[in-house]
Amino acid sequence: KSIALQGPRSLGASASIGPQAYARQLYRMMHRALSLWPDQRSIKPFLRVFMVVLEPWRVGNVASKGGDAGRSSTYLSDLVKSVGLDGSHGSSRSRKVTEYGQEWEHHVLAHLPFYLDLVPMFLELSVSRVAARGETSVQDLVKVL
């Protein structure tokens, strides 16, 4: 008898084995990075990847502008294409995707530990960084919230 390694089908592409394994490894790496990040160092490299995970609906727009966040995750870029929000599949949707929509519900549900565990950890880290990097820590905090 085989054991299913993927999530519920209702979660769409985010529930398949590959994305779940990738998300698990990414979560572990991000959790460790947040626990060990020094207050004096810039958190921008971490923040770029973190925001791609938290807000993948913005990946297509960032990538089209040549931003680093668009290159941070092939999986999430592919997810944007599979949902058809980047216009690559001849989608009849002409709106720019810059905000959360119902089509991203499956992504959020499949990545709840990022929202429920890592966002509070990031908030705690930002508070502790205020003394060392006041203005930039507040700017980073605003990006996440």
Side-chain angles (χ1 to χ4, degrees):
K1 185 175 177 181
S2 65
I3 298 172
L5 297 175
Q6 61 187 37
R9 290 185 186 150
S10 62
L11 295 180
S14 295
S16 61
I17 294 170
Q20 285 292 306
Y22 175 78
R24 188 177 305 114
Q25 291 175 354
L26 186 61
Y27 172 84
R28 288 179 185 151
M29 184 270 305
M30 290 183 150
H31 188 278
R32 184 170 172 88
L34 281 174
S35 343
L36 301 174
W37 205 277
D39 290 343
Q40 302 82 10
R41 305 288 259 165
S42 172
I43 199 159
K44 299 265 186 252
F46 174 86
L47 192 58
R48 282 189 202 110
V49 176
F50 195 44
M51 293 311 297
V52 169
V53 174
L54 294 180
E55 297 181 335
W57 46 89
R58 295 181 189 248
V59 170
N61 297 328
V62 173
S64 66
K65 294 176 185 173
D68 290 336
R71 289 179 246 130
S72 297
S73 171
T74 303
Y75 155 64
L76 290 170
S77 296
D78 290 345
L79 185 59
V80 170
K81 290 177 185 173
S82 73
V83 175
L85 297 176
D86 66 343
S88 64
H89 291 122
S91 175
S92 61
R93 303 174 197 205
S94 59
R95 67 183 174 93
K96 284 187 175 183
V97 181
T98 58
E99 53 188 51
Y100 176 80
Q102 186 176 9
E103 59 272 11
W104 288 104
E105 181 178 336
H106 62 277
H107 171 81
V108 172
L109 291 174
H111 293 83
L112 276 178
F114 289 88
Y115 296 94
L116 298 178
D117 294 337
L118 296 183
V119 169
M121 281 182 75
F122 180 80
L123 296 176
E124 288 176 20
L125 178 66
S126 295
V127 168
S128 70
R129 291 179 68 237
V130 168
R133 300 181 67 88
E135 187 175 340
T136 58
S137 67
V138 172
Q139 290 170 348
D140 294 341
L141 187 59
V142 168
K143 286 179 186 176
V144 172
L145 296 178

